Amino acid sequence: MNFLNLISEAYAMGPTPQGAAQGDPIMSLVLSVLPLVLIIVVFYFLLIRPQQKRAKEHRQMLENLKRGDKVITVGGIYGVVESVNPNTVVLKIAENVKVKFSKQAVASLRPSTDED
């Protein structure tokens, strides 16, 4: 072995130099937790908050359903609301064809100018 290799290994196994790793332990904790907090904040504003907003808008739309509204179900069925009950809605999907759905199955309202 070379003498210079032994010296570099000895320095590598020695104690850390003064001031390099010594510092405020609270500051090191904050610096290690900060990336996790930033990730949580980004997830909240990019994923969780918009999803909650869409769910609230959908809930309000279901509460305001009334007879004559044109809707689309989650299955893609276009219909006109015939009657609304607390948990169900009856849709007219064709002439003399009425189908009963769960209110949660209504995905969205259609503009009243849409053709049937």
Side-chain angles (χ1 to χ4, degrees), residues 5-113:
N5 286 342
L6 290 176
I7 292 175
S8 62
E9 288 180 26
Y11 276 116
M13 292 190 287
T16 58
Q18 293 292 333
Q22 295 179 1
D24 191 12
I26 294 175
M27 189 61 154
S28 65
L29 177 67
V30 168
L31 289 176
S32 65
V33 173
L34 188 64
L36 181 62
V37 170
L38 289 174
I39 290 171
I40 291 171
V41 168
V42 167
F43 267 89
Y44 176 76
F45 282 106
L46 292 180
L47 297 174
I48 298 170
R49 191 165 177 239
Q51 181 64 29
Q52 288 175 342
K53 185 178 176 183
R54 278 193 299 270
K56 182 179 178 184
E57 290 171 354
H58 186 255
R59 198 174 327 111
Q60 287 176 344
M61 184 266 305
L62 292 178
E63 290 172 359
N64 296 327
L65 277 179
K66 60 187 180 302
R67 188 174 198 272
D69 284 344
K70 294 181 176 184
V71 297
I72 303 172
T73 67
V74 293
I77 298 173
Y78 285 61
V80 178
V81 176
E82 285 292 313
S83 67
V84 180
N85 296 318
N87 295 321
T88 60
V89 62
V90 176
L91 299 181
K92 180 179 178 182
I93 58 173
E95 200 63 40
N96 297 324
V97 179
K98 295 178 184 176
V99 182
K100 188 176 191 178
F101 286 96
S102 166
K103 261 190 173 180
Q104 296 298 321
V106 176
S108 63
L109 290 173
R110 296 187 295 154
S112 56
T113 58

